[in-house]
Amino acid sequence: MAQVEQGMRWSAAAQAMLLACACTAQAGWMPVSREVERPFAAELGRWKSDVHTGIRPYRIKDLRAIDAKDTLRPHAAMPALDRWAGARNGRRFRWGPLFDLQGGMGMDSAQVATHRIGGGAWIEGDIGKRLTLHASGQLWNERYPRYMDSLARATQMSAGEGYATQEGNAFTHGDWNAYASWDPGKYFNFTLGRGKHFIGEGHRSLFLSDEASAYPYLRITTSVWRAKYVNLFTMMNDIRGAQGDPSRFQRKYASMHYLSVNASRRINLALFEAIVWSQGDSLYPRGFDVNYLNPIIFYRPVEFAQGSPDNALLGFSASVKAGHFTLFYAQVMLDEFLLREVRAGDGWYANKQALQAGVVARNAFKVDGLTLRGEWNMVRPFMYTHSDTRQNYAHFGQPLAHPYGSNFQEALGHIEWSRGRMLYALRGSMAWLGSDSTESWGNNIFRPESDRPNLPNYGYRNYNYRIGEALEYTLFQGELRAGWLIDPASATRIEASWISRARTREAGSPDWQHAFRIGISCWFRERHAEQEPRYVLN
C-alpha cells in the first residue's frame, strides 16, 4: 500500500512538472486588461519579483515563473471554460467565448435606456516551444449614456474599441487583435501583430496607454540581466476628413524605445522615447522612414539629422517598492523642453511637459485582494500636439497617452477588493481642465500651436499659458461596481455599476449625469469609461 501511495505522489509530481514545462514554453502574451491580470497582480509586483511590470502586455511565461501550477487564477464557474482556456491542463490549443449583454439607464434629464450587446471569441495555439499564434475579436451594438454618446459623435470613435458607425441612436463598433510571437532564443522575442500596449505603473500612462484603438505593430523585446529593452514600430491612422472610409485615412507611423532596468529588487528606472511622423503627401511622399528602424537609443539625433520635421517625445520613470506589496511610481514626459523658459515660469507656450506621481498598495493592510491606488497627473497646454497635426500623439481620433489630451490636472483614487468570485470597486477622479475659445489654448491636441491667440499689435501670444485656461471647468467622475466572476480567462462577470459625473463651469452649477448598468460584462480588453469630449473631429 505504501508503495502505491509513493507511486501516486511521484506520478502527481511528474504531472506537475510536465504542466509547468508545457506552460513555461508558451511564447504568448496576456491580454492588456487589469481585470484578467488581477489574480496575478500582487505577486507580479511584490518586492522579490523581478518582472518588469511597467510594460504590458505581460508575457505568459513571466506569470508561470511566479505561478508554475496556475493556482492563482480562480476556477471558472463552468469547468468547460477552464478546459478550453487551458487552465491547469497545459493544452497547446486554447480558446474561449467573449460575451457582453448589458442593459441600463441614463439617470439624468434625458432618461435614456442604454445597452451593450456584443460577442466574439479568442483563440490561441502553440507551435513547438517558441512560437505562439493568437487572434481575438468582438463586435458590439451599443447605446451609450449621454457623455459617451457625445464622445462618439465628436470623435467618430467608441473609446478604444474601433470606429463607431451610427445606426439611429445606437452605434456599432468592433475590435480585433492578433499576433505571432516567436522566441528565437533566451534573450529575444519578436512579435508581429495588431493590438495595444501600456507603458507605466499607473492607472494612466503619460508615455503610451491603451486608450486608443488597436494598431499594427512589430515589437522586439530584449531581456538581459536586470534589463528589458523594447523596440516598438507601429502604423497608425489620422481619420479626420475620411468619414469612415479607410481608403481616405491618413497614415502615420510611430517608433518607440523603452528601456527598463531593475536597479535593485525595490527600485526600477526606465527611459522612453518616441518619434511620430506622417506618410507625407503627393508633394512629399515619405512612407515608413527606415532611419527610425535604429534599435539603439536615442532617436533625437536621428530626427535632427532629418531636418527635425517629426514629433519627438522623451520620458523618464522611476518606481520604488515599499514593504511587500506597495509601489510608489512617477513619470515625466517631455514634448518640448527649454530649461531657461521653465525656470522663468512665464508660461511659455512651448513648455510642453507632463508629470505623474502615484502609489498603489496591493493586499493593503494585510487584507488579501484589497487594492488601493492614489494618483496625480498633470499635462501642460499644447502637450502631444505638433505644428503638423498629422504628427500629433494620437491614433484613430484618440490620444495615445491620457484620454483628456492636454491642459489639465487630475487626481484619482481607487478602492478595489476581490474576494473569491466577488469584486467590489469604488473609483473616483477629479480633474481641472481648460477649454478653447475660437483660438487654441492648448486643450485640443488636433489643433497646432499656430492656432494660439494673436497679440493686439503683431504676432502670436507666446506666454502666460497656464493649466485651466482659457475657460476653466472641473470634471468629477465616480463609479461603484460589483461583480461575480464567471470566466477568469476573459474576466467575464455578472456585474452592476453606477456612474455619477459632474461637469462644472467656472462660477456655474454642476451638470450632473448618472448612469446605471447591469448584465454580463466582459473585460478581456480594458474598457475606458472615464472620458471627456474635448474636441470635435470633422
Side-chain angles (χ1 to χ4, degrees), residues 267-329:
I267 299 175
N268 176 274
L269 304 173
L271 175 65
F272 173 81
E273 62 172 345
I275 290 282
V276 182
W277 71 99
S278 75
Q279 67 175 357
D281 49 38
S282 58
L283 298 177
Y284 182 44
R286 192 172 177 198
F288 189 91
D289 192 329
V290 295
N291 291 291
Y292 294 131
L293 286 174
N294 161 33
I296 307 299
I297 291 177
F298 291 95
Y299 277 135
R300 191 70 187 187
V302 178
E303 186 245 356
F304 184 76
Q306 300 296 305
S308 194
D310 305 323
N311 190 9
L313 301 103
L314 183 64
F316 307 91
S317 69
S319 63
V320 179
K321 295 175 182 175
H324 287 276
F325 296 107
T326 300
L327 182 74
F328 292 86
Y329 55 88

Side-chain angles (χ1 to χ4, degrees), residues 275-490:
I275 290 282
V276 182
W277 71 99
S278 75
Q279 67 175 357
D281 49 38
S282 58
L283 298 177
Y284 182 44
R286 192 172 177 198
F288 189 91
D289 192 329
V290 295
N291 291 291
Y292 294 131
L293 286 174
N294 161 33
I296 307 299
I297 291 177
F298 291 95
Y299 277 135
R300 191 70 187 187
V302 178
E303 186 245 356
F304 184 76
Q306 300 296 305
S308 194
D310 305 323
N311 190 9
L313 301 103
L314 183 64
F316 307 91
S317 69
S319 63
V320 179
K321 295 175 182 175
H324 287 276
F325 296 107
T326 300
L327 182 74
F328 292 86
Y329 55 88
Q331 284 187 340
V332 178
M333 186 71 152
L334 308 176
D335 196 345
E336 300 284 349
F337 182 82
L338 190 57
L339 181 60
R340 181 186 69 246
E341 296 288 357
V342 172
R343 295 180 63 181
D346 292 332
W348 186 43
Y349 79 97
N351 273 343
K352 301 180 183 179
Q353 298 98 34
L355 304 174
Q356 178 189 78
V359 58
V360 58
R362 297 186 173 90
N363 295 339
F365 305 114
K366 299 184 179 180
V367 177
D368 288 344
L370 177 63
T371 301
L372 307 177
R373 183 187 294 273
E375 186 176 298
W376 169 76
N377 296 287
M378 184 278 287
V379 180
R380 275 194 47 81
F382 300 107
M383 182 77 188
Y384 300 121
T385 190
H386 194 260
S387 54
D388 180 349
T389 56
R390 295 174 300 176
Q391 300 179 162
N392 65 357
Y393 205 57
H395 164 59
F396 243 72
Q398 292 186 278
L400 285 170
H402 196 291
Y404 297 165
S406 59
N407 194 4
F408 69 88
Q409 292 188 73
E410 177 196 48
L412 61 86
H414 295 171
I415 304 172
E416 299 173 343
W417 186 34
S418 60
R419 179 180 172 84
R421 294 190 181 281
M422 291 301 300
L423 171 70
Y424 309 92
L426 176 63
R427 293 182 171 187
S429 66
M430 186 74 186
W432 295 262
L433 308 97
S435 58
D436 290 341
S437 57
T438 55
E439 300 156 319
S440 175
W441 290 77
N443 151 63
N444 182 351
I445 65 173
F446 289 88
R447 296 183 72 175
E449 304 100 325
S450 56
D451 278 0
R452 65 187 186 275
N454 287 301
L455 292 172
N457 298 323
Y458 178 75
Y460 291 116
R461 167 180 160 156
N462 291 332
Y463 292 93
N464 291 318
Y465 291 95
R466 316 287 182 183
I467 290 176
E469 293 184 354
L471 306 172
E472 186 175 18
Y473 67 99
T474 62
L475 181 65
F476 165 80
Q477 180 155 333
E479 180 177 20
L480 178 62
R481 185 160 62 95
W484 187 82
L485 186 64
I486 298 174
D487 179 17
S490 60

